[in-house]
Amino acid sequence: LDPITVGDVDLGSAEGPSLQNRVVGDDFELEIRINTGAKNIGPFDISISFNHSLVTLAGAATVNQRDSSVTTPLDIAAIEVVSQASGIRILGTSGVDAAFNSYVDANNRDSYGGLSFARIKLKAVRPGIARIRGTVHTLNDQGLPSTAIAPSDWPIEAGEALQYISEGRKRHIRGDDILVQRELVDMNTH
């Protein structure tokens, strides 16, 4: 999934299933992508929730620029990642000089739907079906006055993802396992 509409926020991979199936003990990254409509991000506050009994934090959340895998802290005036009982919350504001946006082409058309906003390192810790979802509390531009790129307290609907976590040892496949995996593929590709 790639965010197409301005203000849309998506979770997981841009192509294929949002999240790949995992085995207990696997570390993986959850990507957060935003369509800013070519507006520079100003103040932001985004919650990502997940069941800590199935998935836990395995490292830092990194905020990126221009879909770079390189963390660019100089472009962020302030950022705080707060661990909560239901997941994490990423809040802060990008610096005035930061061109932190989904950019436009020469004809002023949005040519890239999703800015890779952040990556969160997670670890699969127990078998089950993990539901990862989020809420955009604040996503504003850098204007004076700052205006909303996305509505306040907007659930990340298109980016909600389910992830099947297995024990990782060989076992016979049961019919309900196949149905669950088929349902996950259907949900994560729509």
Side-chain angles (χ1 to χ4, degrees):
L1 293 171
D2 214 11
I4 297 171
T5 306
V6 173
D8 193 12
V9 178
D10 284 345
L11 303 175
S13 177
E15 297 176 3
S18 298
L19 295 171
Q20 298 294 322
N21 293 339
R22 297 290 173 185
V23 173
V24 170
D26 281 355
D27 289 335
F28 61 98
E29 285 189 338
L30 173 69
E31 185 177 18
I32 302 171
R33 288 179 321 287
I34 300 173
N35 184 333
T36 69
K39 295 178 180 177
N40 289 339
I41 294 177
F44 55 86
D45 180 354
I46 299 172
S47 292
I48 305 298
S49 61
F50 48 87
N51 183 335
H52 282 277
S53 69
L54 301 175
V55 176
T56 62
L57 288 172
T62 56
V63 177
N64 306 301
Q65 182 188 28
R66 293 271 192 227
D67 203 23
S68 167
S69 60
V70 178
T71 303
T72 54
L74 296 178
D75 293 331
I76 306 299
I79 184 170
E80 184 176 2
V81 178
V82 180
S83 184
Q84 300 178 316
S86 62
I88 67 167
R89 197 159 183 165
I90 304 170
L91 12 80
T93 187
S94 60
V96 175
D97 295 329
F100 201 44
N101 60 43
S102 56
Y103 55 89
V104 295
D105 64 15
N107 298 317
N108 208 30
R109 290 188 308 249
D110 201 0
S111 61
Y112 181 73
L115 163 74
S116 179
F117 173 71
R119 288 183 173 88
I120 303 166
K121 292 183 181 184
L122 299 170
K123 182 180 205 73
V125 294
R126 198 180 97 203
I129 299 176
R131 169 175 264 159
I132 300 176
R133 57 182 175 246
T135 302
V136 177
H137 302 287
T138 304
L139 181 60
N140 288 359
D141 65 16
Q142 290 183 353
L144 293 173
S146 184
T147 58
I149 295 172
S152 295
D153 297 318
W154 192 29
I156 301 173
E157 293 178 30
E160 183 175 284
L162 296 176
Q163 181 175 51
Y164 181 71
I165 301 170
S166 69
E167 290 183 26
R169 58 180 184 230
K170 291 185 179 182
R171 62 184 175 94
H172 296 287
I173 296 176
R174 301 184 320 239
D176 58 339
D177 288 342
I178 293 170
L179 290 175
V180 166
Q181 288 191 2
R182 216 178 268 150
E183 183 178 323
L184 288 171
V185 169
D186 288 345
M187 292 184 76
N188 286 334
T189 55
H190 294 290

